[in-house]
Amino acid sequence: WRFAPVVSALQAARGVSLITAVTVLAELGDLNRFDNPSQLMAYLGLVPSEHSSGESIKKGSITKTGNGHARKALVEAAWAYRMQARVSRLLLKRQQGVPDRVCQIAWKAQLRLCGRFRKLTARGKSKQKVVTAIARELSAFLWAMAKQMQPVV
């Protein structure tokens, strides 16, 4: 399968198991078709809706447009970031054979997302909203990891 190296790379991220990685790639296809992570987030429906008129701008709930299966898989993966950042034995095993650059992105994602989870819950946000925000950012990190696995042309 041509996406096998990308599946291995995505599994380097915390919360992204084989099922999640395959689901995301099967539903979305090649992540390089998105020019930037914002396009991927919008495609997944993880961006806030907006109601604007003149200078008045009001943000609403997420749009939920796009692929619901991939969105649901990412939201489930985002729950793993409620714990403190660390590399478990299972995660270390999944990171074997993955390029160092991808592992660095995965660690950076873990530090940022675990801290963000704690910060947003400390501000009193509901856990479902926090997890959705984490899933949105996780999609951007997964896009960057997939980008590293593509051959340079």
Side-chain angles (χ1 to χ4, degrees):
W1 188 36
R2 69 183 183 115
F3 290 127
V6 181
V7 168
S8 297
L10 295 184
Q11 290 183 75
R14 183 179 191 173
V16 181
S17 64
L18 176 65
I19 300 288
T20 305
V22 170
T23 300
V24 168
L25 285 177
E27 294 292 334
L28 301 178
D30 190 8
L31 296 181
N32 280 328
R33 67 190 178 111
F34 301 102
D35 293 333
N36 54 47
S38 299
Q39 287 181 350
L40 174 60
M41 292 175 206
Y43 182 80
L44 289 168
L46 289 171
V47 293
S49 60
E50 182 178 306
H51 305 284
S52 57
S53 176
E55 292 184 24
S56 171
I57 299 174
K58 294 184 180 178
K59 300 278 185 176
S61 61
I62 62 170
T63 60
K64 293 186 181 178
T65 58
N67 194 299
H69 288 105
R71 182 174 56 250
K72 184 176 180 179
L74 288 173
V75 167
E76 288 299 318
W79 279 103
Y81 292 94
R82 71 187 185 280
M83 306 296 183
Q84 194 171 14
R86 69 184 187 91
V87 179
S88 66
R89 284 188 200 149
L90 179 64
L91 188 57
L92 200 57
K93 185 177 177 183
R94 290 194 322 228
Q95 289 179 349
Q96 286 179 344
V98 175
D100 288 338
R101 182 68 185 128
V102 173
C103 292
Q104 289 171 355
I105 293 171
W107 179 244
K108 183 178 176 182
Q110 195 172 150
L111 289 175
R112 176 171 171 80
L113 298 179
C114 288
R116 188 150 170 79
F117 196 102
R118 280 194 309 275
K119 194 181 295 182
L120 289 174
T121 52
R123 285 182 21 197
K125 300 287 183 189
S126 72
K127 288 204 176 181
Q128 279 70 26
K129 283 186 180 181
V130 172
V131 167
T132 304
I134 298 299
R136 179 179 175 271
E137 287 193 42
L138 177 60
S139 68
F141 281 110
L142 294 180
W143 176 86
M145 293 165 78
K147 201 75 161 169
Q148 291 294 318
M149 294 306 294
Q150 298 305 319
V152 178
V153 179

